[in-house]
Amino acid sequence: MSYSTPQIRNVALAGHPGTGKTTLFEALLHAGGALQAAGTVERGNTVSDFDPIEKERGHSIDAAIASLDRPGLHLNLIDTPGYPDFRGPALAALAAADTVAVVVDAGSGIAHGTRRMLDYAHQRGLCRMLVVNKIDQAGHDHGALLAALREAFGPEVLPLNLPADGGARVVDCFTLRDGSSDLGAVGDWHQKILDQVVEINETVMEHYLDLGEGGLSGQELHDAFEQCLREGHLIPVCFVSARTGVGVREWLDLAQRLLPHPGEVNPPPFRKGLGPNAEPVLARPDPDAHVIADVFKIVNDPFVGKLGIFRVYQGTVRKDMQLFVDDGRKPFKVAHLYRLQGKEHVEIAQAVPGDIAAVAKVEDLHFDAVLHDSHDEDHIHLQPPALPRPMFSLAVTAASKGQEQKLGLALHRLAEEDPAFVVEHSAETNETVIRGLSDLHLRVMLRRLHERYGVEVVTHPPRIAYRETIAQPAEGHHRHKKQTGGAGQFGEVFLRIAPLPRGAGFEFVDEVKGGTIPGQFIPAVEKGVRQVLASGAIAGYPIQDVRVVVYDGKHHPVDSKEIAFVTAGKRAFLDAISKAQPQVLEPIVELEVSAPEAHMGDISGGLAAKRARITGTDSLPGGEIVVRAQVPLAELEGYAAELKSVTAGRGRYSLDFSHYEPAPAPVQRRLMDAFKPRLEED
């Protein structure tokens, strides 16, 4: 079925876990003719939850895409995970939407996920709407819920339809003036939403005041409605029951008639260049212009290979055309162009502006890559979504020898698919560390590692990146003399060390006079010193914030060699450190905790037990507080689970490195004692 940009609607279903997003996704596809029968989460046969782990757990883990077509409408639907553990794929997929429909459970009401997704959509400049689901269930007070939504999110929250007959049907209150509903007279709500819509546009407002509602054309109402959504002046509410189908077809009608198409929404935040000099770029939904498309999701499919899913913002992507990835000089050919229907891939001939499509087997594709067909669009990128920072960490090693390369490739593939799953190699601790949003997030990734790629791993908490330093100046000396029958080794070094300000790093100074150490051997002395800097002197951690001054020494015209001065420099440095009050430094991080105000006492008490210094608190709208503190990183192991427990899953935190400072004496002794056996082994 062919369609143009004005007929496209891109809608993402988002919200708190358990609100029925996946069931609504199925109901909309069924009502739109894309499915003969709607699947259910319980039977594990839904279009969007096709991953075996999703079927087993009974909830979404990844964002899924499907579309439906009916006369005058091509609707791209995106089903996003509700659990905060999987917010990475959810937020990344929202970048491809024009409207975010936040689903609310009619019984549970406003949840933390409701606020979070509405806030995110607002920050991104997306149109927002609320879909109240499960209206057919007895005992729900829909009037109280609507009042709570308006109180929480403002008077711009207004219904487009109303439940009637106890949730057995819905009544349109945007176009109809007459009738009754479970929430009172239809005319009252009709007047409220009409007043809200017409006041945003001066021309429409003048026509309305002069001629009354009957003097407004359908196009004027649509344009004013679309402007309200774009500017955040209206958050419409629709009532549905995804299980029974009540309100589902009516929602499709409203989407076709009132929701904005890709040419009517706020322009996407494309930039050309990097940093403060980057300039905004306007991508126009012109099918004849140069192609600009953004890859918002990567899937490594076992049958079709690497799949890059993208949203077209400008131009038309056609089968067999050539596209560039980012600023690449080598184009790739679009050998196959697909539309996604859950796990199914339907081949298509073209994708017009506003559409969502996919290409396969292009290794250069990555999350947030920009596709284009002309070098005029080099250096263009889409402002990336504000993704949550992964706070949970595990160090992983292959359980079997010879699996290291396979493990590395598999982790890379998983990280491609989830922008909130990060894989790092720490050269300092020689560990491969995976980072995610929660313990559950990492468990799911490790399971995929095993089931998809056949890799078993051993996990353990990552080592804390401690440092060593000194507290006072000292001098060191070492004479290295070795005779083995032939030419020997000789080198003698005198040096002074002194502490530098925290964060200053390392300085090496040559103050040797009279050639007591020939100039060609000074680099060897520095090499020996740097060996100690890297390996540590008292606990096995890198040394920082030290100045080393080499001021004297001796050499032998025959036996002095580079290796002799490396050893002498190393031993002289160790000698000086032993006299300079060496100490272990621990990393301190800036921690920011957000949670409901009622949990302030539990959060503060928990941080006090972790040697934290609270530096400030702020109150936020909606009864939330933000607590800022400086905390030793070593004390935060398991903090995410602790915060989740004391806040019933509503707390979240972020952290950034702040500085290093001396660890408490018991911690220093423990680390030094653990290092002694290693020294003896050496």
Side-chain angles (χ1 to χ4, degrees):
M1 182 176 179
S2 62
Y3 49 86
S4 60
T5 299
Q7 296 170 317
I8 296 175
R9 305 291 184 271
N10 292 315
V11 179
L13 303 180
H16 202 70
T19 55
K21 296 181 295 299
T22 298
T23 304
L24 179 58
F25 188 80
E26 289 287 310
L28 290 168
L29 292 175
H30 174 56
L35 292 178
Q36 288 187 345
T40 67
V41 173
E42 293 74 18
R43 291 199 299 266
N45 62 344
T46 63
V47 171
S48 57
D49 289 353
F50 52 84
D51 183 276
I53 302 177
E54 292 177 316
K55 292 181 180 182
E56 178 185 310
R57 299 189 63 87
H59 64 76
S60 301
I61 292 173
D62 288 317
I65 300 131
S67 60
L68 63 90
D69 291 285
R70 64 187 217 173
L73 174 68
H74 176 76
L75 175 62
N76 289 313
L77 284 171
I78 305 173
D79 184 22
T80 67
Y83 280 86
D85 314 72
F86 308 105
R87 284 201 310 277
L91 297 183
L94 289 195
D98 296 318
T99 301
V100 178
V102 178
V103 183
V104 178
D105 187 314
S108 304
I110 300 169
H112 186 57
T114 312
R115 298 179 185 275
R116 180 175 290 168
M117 299 314 292
L118 281 173
D119 287 346
Y120 177 83
H122 179 61
Q123 292 165 14
R124 193 72 181 179
L126 301 173
C127 300
R128 297 170 291 165
M129 73 181 308
L130 291 159
V131 180
V132 177
N133 189 23
K134 307 181 184 180
I135 64 170
D136 59 307
Q137 297 182 12
H140 295 168
D141 189 340
H142 302 130
L145 174 57
L146 183 57
L149 291 170
R150 286 170 59 80
E151 181 180 354
F153 305 116
E156 57 267 29
V157 174
L158 286 166
L160 291 180
N161 62 24
L162 302 164
D165 300 337
R169 63 187 179 93
V170 295
V171 181
D172 181 353
C173 63
F174 182 68
T175 56
L176 300 180
R177 296 186 61 90
D178 301 321
S180 61
S181 74
D182 294 345
L183 303 187
V186 170
D188 294 342
W189 290 106
H190 172 82
Q191 195 60 51
K192 287 180 181 179
I193 192 166
L194 186 66
D195 291 345
Q196 184 78 7
V197 168
V198 299
E199 73 177 18
I200 195 71
N201 188 297
E202 289 186 10
T203 303
V204 175
M205 186 67 171
E206 288 177 7
H207 286 182
Y208 176 63
L209 294 175
D210 292 342
L211 305 172
E213 182 181 343
L216 296 178
S217 69
Q219 188 62 46
E220 282 182 316
L221 271 179
H222 170 83
D223 292 348
F225 187 92
E226 171 265 311
Q227 185 180 350
C228 284
L229 284 180
R230 189 177 68 243
E231 297 181 5
H233 189 66
L234 175 66
I235 304 176
V237 181
C238 291
F239 290 85
V240 303
S241 170
R243 185 179 65 86
T244 64
V246 170
V248 173
R249 291 186 185 278
E250 290 85 348
W251 188 90
L252 286 176
D253 292 337
L254 289 169
Q256 182 169 349
R257 185 159 41 94
L258 295 174
L259 293 187
H261 64 70
E264 296 175 320
V265 295
N266 292 318
F270 279 101
R271 300 286 187 273
K272 188 161 189 173
L274 298 172
N277 296 324
E279 298 179 354
V281 173
L282 181 62
R284 298 172 293 107
D286 179 354
D288 299 320
H290 289 165
V291 169
I292 299 178
D294 178 71
V295 177
F296 66 91
K297 184 173 174 62
I298 295 290
V299 175
N300 288 294
D301 188 279
F303 302 106
V304 301
K306 187 175 184 178
L307 201 68
I309 305 168
F310 59 89
R311 155 84 184 260
V312 183
Y313 288 95
Q314 178 177 289
T316 302
V317 177
R318 295 181 175 86
K319 185 176 179 298
D320 294 330
M321 78 182 303
Q322 290 191 327
L323 293 176
F324 298 99
V325 180
D326 294 329
D327 304 330
R329 297 297 175 214
K330 183 180 178 182
F332 70 90
K333 181 181 178 182
V334 182
H336 298 280
L337 189 64
Y338 299 105
R339 175 182 304 137
L340 299 184
Q341 204 70 7
K343 68 178 178 180
E344 304 296 331
H345 311 130
V346 181
E347 195 148 0
I348 57 176
Q350 66 176 27
V352 298
D355 212 351
I356 293 172
V359 291
K361 298 180 181 178
V362 182
E363 283 304 312
D364 289 341
L365 290 182
H366 58 88
F367 170 70
D368 230 19
V370 171
L371 308 181
H372 55 99
D373 61 350
S374 166
H375 286 304
D376 291 347
E377 280 69 48
D378 283 351
H379 309 295
I380 285 181
H381 61 94
L382 188 64
Q383 183 178 318
L387 295 170
R389 184 176 293 126
M391 293 287 110
F392 277 71
S393 305
L394 278 177
V396 297
T397 54
S400 305
K401 284 193 174 182
Q403 292 272 295
E404 291 81 7
Q405 186 173 356
K406 189 175 180 181
L407 170 62
L409 178 61
L411 288 175
H412 173 70
R413 295 292 191 203
L414 291 175
E416 284 183 319
E417 297 183 348
D418 187 340
F421 177 69
V422 177
V423 181
E424 299 172 346
H425 181 77
S426 171
E428 182 178 315
T429 60
N430 194 29
E431 292 177 320
T432 297
V433 178
I434 59 173
R435 305 189 190 279
L437 300 182
S438 69
D439 176 60
L440 172 61
H441 187 197
L442 292 184
R443 288 205 313 271
V444 167
M445 288 302 183
L446 291 174
R447 182 170 167 183
R448 285 181 169 174
L449 191 67
H450 169 64
E451 294 181 357
R452 287 190 190 176
Y453 302 101
V455 179
E456 291 282 0
V457 295
V458 177
T459 66
H460 58 87
R463 291 179 67 197
I464 300 295
Y466 292 101
R467 294 286 189 272
E468 297 178 19
T469 193
I470 58 172
Q472 67 180 31
E475 295 198 1
H477 161 251
H478 184 77
R479 172 183 287 188
H480 177 70
K481 185 175 182 180
K482 188 175 182 181
Q483 290 294 139
T484 56
Q489 295 180 13
F490 181 85
E492 187 170 6
V493 172
F494 293 84
L495 53 76
R496 291 189 292 268
I497 63 174
L500 291 174
R502 195 73 66 233
F506 168 68
E507 291 181 12
F508 182 85
V509 181
D510 172 15
E511 290 187 358
V512 174
K513 301 289 193 298
T516 55
I517 300 178
Q520 69 265 30
F521 292 131
I522 295 298
V525 176
E526 182 177 357
K527 182 178 179 181
V529 168
R530 287 188 178 275
Q531 286 180 356
V532 179
L533 284 176
S535 62
I538 58 173
Y541 295 98
I543 299 171
Q544 68 177 34
D545 306 333
V546 176
R547 174 188 284 115
V548 176
V549 179
V550 179
Y551 66 89
D552 201 1
K554 291 181 182 177
H555 73 286
H556 187 279
V558 176
D559 290 348
S560 285
K561 299 177 178 65
E562 180 182 350
I563 183 63
F565 279 98
V566 169
T567 302
K570 180 177 180 179
R571 295 295 180 184
F573 189 30
L574 286 169
D575 179 46
I577 288 173
S578 68
K579 307 169 187 174
Q581 290 187 13
Q583 54 188 208
V584 178
L585 302 174
E586 64 179 353
I588 306 297
V589 295
E590 296 280 357
L591 176 72
E592 189 172 281
V593 184
S594 302
E597 194 170 2
H599 302 292
M600 173 72 178
D602 292 332
I603 292 170
S604 299
L607 290 176
K610 299 181 185 302
R611 299 190 282 126
R613 295 188 294 269
I614 294 179
T615 57
T617 59
D618 286 323
S619 295
L620 299 179
E624 283 212 340
I625 51 107
V626 174
V627 180
R628 291 183 298 279
Q630 290 188 338
V631 194
L633 180 61
E635 297 286 341
L636 290 176
E637 183 177 342
Y639 184 63
E642 178 184 326
L643 182 64
K644 184 176 182 180
S645 175
V646 300
T647 64
R650 298 182 64 185
R652 59 194 186 279
Y653 74 98
S654 64
L655 54 85
D656 286 300
F657 173 76
S658 175
H659 63 281
Y660 277 93
E661 62 182 46
V667 174
Q668 300 214 29
R669 282 195 299 271
R670 173 174 58 81
L671 295 172
M672 292 164 68
D673 290 344
F675 185 55
K676 286 179 183 177
R678 289 167 54 190
L679 283 177
E680 292 168 3
E681 290 172 9
D682 293 344

